[in-house]
Amino acid sequence: MFKQATLEERRKYYREEWDIKQVPDFIGNFIENREFGFDHFGRGPNDRYKVFSTLDYLKRFLRSKTPFAAYCSVAYYQKPRRRDGWMKSELVFDVDAKDIPIRTCGCDDVCEICLNEAKEIVGGLIDTLKGDLGLKNMHLIYSGRGYHIRVIDDDVMGLGSDVRSQILKYIVGADVPKDKYDDAAGIYDLQHFSIPLGYPKVFTQRVKYGIFHLTEDSKLDDVNLKLLKDVIKYRNLLEDDEWGLFKNRIGPLRYKKIIKGIASLNMSLVDAKVSIDLKRILRLPSSLHSKVSMRCTEIKNIETFDPFKDAVPKFVWERED
């Protein structure tokens, strides 16, 4: 399934299977403001600063060149050929299955298990973007080895890198929440799992995900194998959200170590460089990810999407080996 596509297979894909109508409207409607980039030899994008005034020109180019990979910018420019006159950028989150910091599969590259784990992570991030931040206009793309969340709400497209970084930390649960709160009546100790809203709730969800995906081979800062084994032994308590009992079984000091370790790993759930880069180029939805022979696909329903059914080009099924 993940075998690299040959030049002949790329030609077959773009000339017989691919359709310009598969390029999503959120790209096609502003095509003249986007920079396009292409990888013709499988060594990374080496043909940048391309501009197409219409979808028809893009269609002709792809069918003629049948590139190894095709990309378009998350940014809108007044002069995209020079990446000049930046107007705004999509807010993007890139979850690559092979880079997930805690994977239960143990594979060296990507497999069905880690792709499903990436999908699970993406579902949680989308829930937070909608529920906590009120964002509505977003598109989910299967990239070939993971998922891209592309947010095009006007409220976020003008944001700078610093704010995008703060949003990223919030949705992945990268900081341990404070546990002391005060008002006129005094100071209160409140653990993150006892606060059912806001960032403490998000953090609790991400920590729970992390704990249930730990294996004895997982590597967390300041967490030894004995603590790791105890967390795995008692994590069934969290199925019913028995956080207090779980913390007592682990021990308060060791509990702090485990949530601090997972918070540190959470920052790697998403490629931060992609999120803060205002001029990034991402794989063009509908294009071929030639390295793994899968189609970069816009997802309409994450619950029913199956990359092994919905993102496999016809030429893969026709292979004889």
Side-chain angles (χ1 to χ4, degrees):
M1 181 71 74
F2 296 115
K3 179 183 173 184
Q4 182 169 305
T6 65
L7 176 58
E8 187 57 36
E9 288 173 332
R10 285 155 44 193
R11 287 173 175 161
K12 192 169 188 178
Y13 175 76
Y14 282 110
R15 295 173 184 176
E16 298 180 13
E17 180 177 351
W18 175 80
D19 191 320
I20 191 67
K21 294 178 181 176
Q22 296 165 352
V23 175
D25 288 344
F26 77 93
I27 292 176
N29 289 344
F30 298 94
I31 190 170
E32 70 276 12
N33 297 116
R34 304 258 194 180
E35 177 213 355
F36 285 77
F38 301 93
D39 172 6
H40 296 292
F41 307 109
R43 295 192 290 269
N46 59 335
D47 185 10
R48 297 282 304 265
Y49 307 104
K50 290 290 186 184
V51 177
F52 300 96
S53 57
T54 69
L55 284 169
D56 193 53
Y57 286 127
L58 174 62
K59 180 178 72 174
R60 294 181 195 178
F61 183 92
L62 286 174
R63 288 192 169 161
S64 170
K65 301 295 185 182
T66 60
F68 190 85
Y71 305 84
C72 75
S73 66
V74 301
Y76 297 52
Y77 303 98
Q78 293 174 348
K79 299 177 181 178
R81 192 180 303 280
R82 295 159 50 191
R83 292 202 297 176
D84 197 12
W86 180 85
M87 300 162 65
K88 55 186 179 180
S89 295
E90 300 169 16
L91 175 61
V92 176
F93 303 98
D94 177 13
V95 178
D96 194 316
K98 70 177 175 53
D99 296 327
I100 298 173
I102 303 174
R103 304 196 304 173
T104 60
C105 58
C107 76
D108 294 328
D109 199 2
V110 293
C111 66
E112 185 172 0
I113 294 173
C114 55
L115 280 172
N116 282 333
E117 290 172 349
K119 181 178 169 181
E120 187 179 354
I121 291 168
V122 163
L125 300 181
I126 291 175
D127 288 344
T128 302
L129 288 167
K130 290 180 176 177
D132 285 49
L133 304 185
L135 299 175
K136 298 177 181 176
N137 197 351
M138 63 184 74
H139 298 267
L140 179 60
I141 310 296
Y142 174 68
S143 67
R145 300 164 65 103
Y147 296 87
H148 296 157
I149 304 171
R150 305 178 69 153
V151 186
I152 57 174
D153 277 62
D154 288 338
D155 291 341
V156 298
M157 290 189 71
L159 297 176
S161 296
D162 288 345
V163 179
R164 291 170 189 250
S165 176
Q166 293 303 313
I167 293 174
L168 172 63
K169 288 181 179 179
Y170 184 98
I171 68 169
V172 301
D175 294 317
V176 178
K178 64 180 182 180
D179 56 10
K180 295 188 183 300
Y181 297 82
D182 62 84
D183 62 14
I187 299 176
Y188 305 91
D189 289 327
L190 288 174
Q191 294 293 311
H192 63 90
F193 51 77
S194 62
I195 303 175
L197 74 166
Y199 181 69
K201 178 184 176 183
V202 174
F203 182 76
T204 300
Q205 292 170 336
R206 302 294 179 263
V207 169
K208 185 175 181 178
Y209 173 88
I211 287 175
F212 275 108
H213 288 79
L214 288 173
T215 70
E216 291 187 5
D217 294 325
S218 298
K219 304 295 182 187
L220 282 78
D221 293 341
D222 204 25
V223 174
N224 59 30
L225 183 58
K226 175 66 169 60
L227 174 53
L228 202 54
K229 287 183 175 180
D230 285 345
V231 169
I232 294 171
K233 179 180 179 181
Y234 295 117
R235 66 186 175 189
N236 63 306
L237 293 168
L238 299 182
E239 291 177 358
D240 296 320
D241 291 318
E242 297 280 1
W243 285 91
L245 190 55
F246 174 77
K247 180 182 174 184
N248 288 336
R249 292 287 173 81
I250 299 299
L253 293 179
R254 296 204 308 160
Y255 180 79
K256 284 186 176 181
K257 288 184 178 181
I258 198 72
I259 63 170
K260 186 177 179 182
I262 291 179
S264 179
L265 284 184
N266 282 349
M267 197 61 192
S268 303
L269 291 174
V270 173
D271 188 338
K273 296 190 296 296
V274 174
S275 294
I276 65 174
D277 187 350
L278 302 180
K279 298 186 175 181
R280 197 79 176 187
I281 55 173
L282 288 182
R283 288 188 184 278
L284 176 68
S286 79
S287 67
L288 182 66
H289 191 316
S290 297
K291 190 169 185 178
V292 292
S293 292
M294 296 194 87
R295 183 172 49 238
C296 183
T297 305
E298 183 175 22
I299 300 170
K300 299 300 182 183
N301 186 335
I302 189 174
E303 300 297 330
T304 59
F305 177 75
D306 180 351
F308 297 98
K309 293 180 180 176
D310 303 321
V312 180
K314 291 179 182 176
F315 70 77
V316 172
W317 301 116
E318 295 169 356
R319 284 173 174 165
E320 296 181 355
D321 56 346

